[in-house]
């Protein structure tokens, strides 16, 4: 059963952002209502109330969870799981009862979790990237191959042909404490063959047994079908092994810091890879909507112990600036860097070439 605070966290997700993730085109706080034959954008969004309402077919306003329920045709628990998956929020029903870490500077919050790191550690001893992972990392994101090696990124393909990027989370001592699986086929919207294409076979190291699959897997559609459009995937954007707790990302870099050196705080793994590829030392907060007290304390401990200078390029949206302000309360020395117009996050800025280095090409296979 989900806790009340978790449900409240999902209800506080920005309503317009949720609508866009569902596939709606929101402009000037309005969108075409998907619940009737609408041609005049009658679905209106209220940022102050964090709700939306169509004055043609709705008697009252609805929030994020209700919107997901109606749009996806799911019940309450399934809609909550979908929202949690989109925003990398771990629900208590998908993890063990012990969820808190001790806040120690080692970043090891697995002591009270049922996550069995020994079952997964071997996956990252010899990382392997299939075609989908290479395209995503090297062609689309232009990530430096040395960063990919440092982060121990690997990949696998499930029985349905869906390609997953497997992202390990380590504590400062380099011990595995969590895993995030990213659906590499999630953004595909059209299929010429009516199915998932897969030109690479799964790595034996990446194939998870049914017992090891993430408890939040479910049959949650990544997007709604449209007339003439074939839905390729029926899987969430992210999956986490049972009991995994993804705290601050790339903690091993802390051991390489020198007193007074700059450490960038990013939002999400992708921005962290881009920052590392640009030549900076960086860590990542899992999500702007999920900043745990133990994560905050860990950052304070890092700053105090290593005497680093924290820097940040906040995402150009409300959650991004909110995250910066939360961090600034505990890290008064946190330096704010403004992204240029048109760049919503550091990954986009990096792709523009303003921060990219010449070493981002994929290595040649030997």
């Amino acid at each position: 059963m989900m806790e009340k605070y978790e449900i409240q966290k999902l209800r506080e997700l920005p309503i317009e952002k949720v609508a866009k993730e569902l596939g709606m085109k929101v402009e000037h706080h309005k969108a075409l209502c998907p619940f009737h034959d609408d041609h005049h954008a009658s679905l209106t969004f209220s940022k102050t109330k964090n709700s939306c309402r169509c004055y043609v077919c709705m008697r009252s306003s609805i929030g994020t969870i209700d919107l997901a329920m109606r749009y996806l045709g799911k019940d309450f628990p399934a809609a909550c799981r979908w929202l949690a998956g989109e925003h990398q929020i771990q629900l208590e029903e998908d993890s063990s009862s012990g969820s808190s870490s001790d806040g120690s500077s080692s970043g090891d919050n697995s002591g009270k979790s049922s996550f069995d790191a020994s079952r997964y550690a071997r996956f990252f001893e010899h990382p392997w990237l299939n075609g989908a992972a290479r395209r995503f990392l090297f062609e689309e994101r232009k990530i430096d191959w040395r960063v990919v090696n440092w982060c121990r990124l690997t990949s696998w393909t499930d029985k349905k042909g869906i390609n997953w990027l497997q992202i390990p989370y380590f504590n400062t001592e380099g011990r595995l404490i969590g895993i995030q699986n990213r659906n590499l086929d999630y953004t595909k919207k059209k299929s010429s063959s009516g199915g998932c294409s897969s030109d690479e076979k799964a790595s034996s190291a990446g194939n998870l047994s049914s017992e090891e699959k993430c408890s939040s897997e479910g049959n949650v559609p990544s997007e709604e079908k449209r007339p003439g459009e074939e839905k390729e995937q029926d899987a969430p954007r992210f999956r986490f092994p049972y009991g995994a707790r993804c705290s601050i990302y790339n903690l091993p870099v802390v051991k390489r810091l020198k007193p007074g050196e700059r450490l960038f705080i990013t939002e999400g793994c992708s921005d962290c890879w881009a920052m590392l590829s640009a030549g900076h030392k960086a860590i990542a907060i899992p999500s702007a909507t999920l900043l745990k007290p133990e994560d905050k304390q860990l950052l304070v401990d890092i700053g105090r112990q290593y005497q680093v200078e924290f820097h940040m390029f906040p995402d150009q949206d409300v959650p991004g600036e909110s995250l910066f302000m939360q961090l600034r309360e505990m890290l008064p020395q946190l330096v704010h860097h403004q992204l240029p117009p048109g760049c919503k996050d550091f990954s986009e800025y990096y792709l523009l070439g303003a921060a990219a280095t010449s070493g981002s090409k994929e290595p040649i296979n030997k």
Side-chain angles (χ1 to χ4, degrees):
M1 177 179 291
M2 283 176 282
E3 299 291 340
K4 290 183 178 179
Y5 78 91
E6 293 176 322
I7 296 174
Q8 183 61 30
K9 192 182 299 180
L10 297 177
R11 285 175 173 158
E12 291 175 354
L13 294 172
I15 187 73
E16 290 190 6
K17 185 176 181 181
V18 170
K20 291 176 182 177
E21 289 166 347
L22 287 168
M24 301 181 202
K25 185 177 182 181
V26 182
E27 292 182 342
H28 306 296
H29 312 302
K30 289 189 175 184
L32 292 173
C33 180
F35 308 115
H36 75 276
D37 187 17
D38 191 12
H39 300 279
H40 301 288
S42 57
L43 184 62
T44 304
F45 295 86
S46 170
K47 284 193 172 182
T48 55
K49 296 181 180 179
N50 201 39
S51 63
C52 65
R53 180 182 178 183
C54 173
Y55 288 89
V56 176
C57 65
M58 295 182 186
R59 293 184 178 181
S60 59
S61 299
I62 61 175
T64 55
I65 300 177
D66 286 330
L67 180 61
M69 286 174 63
R70 293 194 185 189
Y71 193 90
L72 298 173
K74 296 292 181 181
D75 58 16
F76 186 86
C80 287
R81 285 193 292 270
W82 184 88
L83 287 168
E86 284 292 298
H87 295 269
Q88 305 178 46
I89 296 175
Q90 185 74 31
L91 300 177
E92 284 298 322
E93 67 167 4
D94 296 331
S95 64
S96 62
S97 58
S99 60
S100 300
S101 76
D102 57 6
S104 64
S105 60
S106 68
D108 182 5
N109 59 358
S110 61
K112 297 181 180 180
S113 170
S114 63
F115 177 67
D116 185 2
S118 63
R119 301 176 66 183
Y120 299 92
R122 62 185 177 86
F123 296 169
F124 307 102
E125 292 176 359
H126 302 286
W128 179 88
L129 299 177
N130 60 20
R134 287 179 176 275
R135 283 190 295 273
F136 173 73
L137 293 168
F138 300 124
E139 297 178 20
E140 296 177 22
R141 297 300 178 119
K142 308 297 182 185
I143 303 302
D144 193 305
W145 64 269
R146 293 167 294 185
V147 172
V148 174
N149 289 346
W150 162 259
C151 294
R152 310 298 292 171
L153 302 179
T154 188
S155 61
W156 60 290
T157 307
D158 64 19
K159 294 180 179 179
K160 295 181 179 179
I162 301 175
N163 296 294
W164 298 87
L165 182 67
Q166 207 162 35
I167 306 166
Y169 281 65
F170 300 98
N171 63 9
T172 53
E173 304 300 328
R175 187 158 64 88
L176 184 67
I177 58 175
I179 296 173
Q180 178 191 82
N181 290 289
R182 177 171 183 149
N183 186 344
L184 294 175
D185 298 318
Y186 181 82
T187 56
K188 293 182 179 180
K189 293 185 177 181
K190 293 185 179 181
S191 170
S192 58
S193 60
C196 173
S197 61
S198 177
D199 55 0
E200 297 282 344
K201 291 187 177 180
S203 163
S204 58
N207 278 322
L208 302 183
S209 66
S210 58
E211 181 184 2
E212 293 171 310
K213 286 184 180 178
C214 168
S215 58
S216 63
E217 179 178 358
N219 291 319
V220 184
S222 59
E223 57 198 24
E224 194 78 358
K225 285 185 179 179
R226 293 287 183 270
E229 183 176 311
E230 194 71 25
K231 183 176 62 177
E232 282 198 335
Q233 304 300 339
D234 191 24
R237 186 179 180 187
F238 296 100
R239 281 169 44 176
F240 303 85
Y242 187 83
R245 284 286 171 178
C246 296
S247 177
I248 296 176
Y249 181 69
N250 196 36
L251 284 173
V253 78
V254 171
K255 289 286 187 177
R256 296 182 169 229
L257 292 170
K258 299 176 182 178
E261 191 172 8
R262 298 202 301 180
L263 178 64
F264 282 84
I265 300 175
T266 62
E267 183 186 336
C269 298
S270 296
D271 278 7
C272 187
W273 301 332
M275 188 67 72
L276 293 169
S277 297
H280 304 290
K281 288 186 172 70
I283 55 177
I285 301 295
S287 171
T289 57
L290 182 61
L291 187 60
K292 302 174 186 175
E294 55 265 32
D295 294 335
K296 296 179 180 180
Q297 185 58 49
L298 178 54
L299 290 172
V300 173
D301 292 342
I302 290 173
R304 183 185 301 114
Q305 181 177 351
Y306 296 94
Q307 299 179 348
V308 299
E309 187 178 285
F310 288 105
H311 290 252
M312 185 176 182
F313 281 84
D315 287 2
Q316 295 213 68
D317 53 23
V318 174
E321 289 297 333
S322 175
L323 174 61
F324 175 81
M325 296 306 297
Q326 289 183 60
L327 294 172
R328 191 72 174 273
E329 291 178 2
M330 298 179 319
L331 306 172
Q333 77 278 22
L334 179 60
V335 179
H336 184 288
H337 295 266
Q338 184 66 45
L339 289 166
C343 293
K344 66 182 180 68
D345 55 32
F346 187 80
S347 291
E348 288 194 357
Y349 180 38
Y350 172 73
L351 288 174
L352 284 178
T357 63
S358 60
S360 62
K361 294 183 179 180
E362 175 185 0
I364 299 174
N365 291 328
K366 294 182 179 180

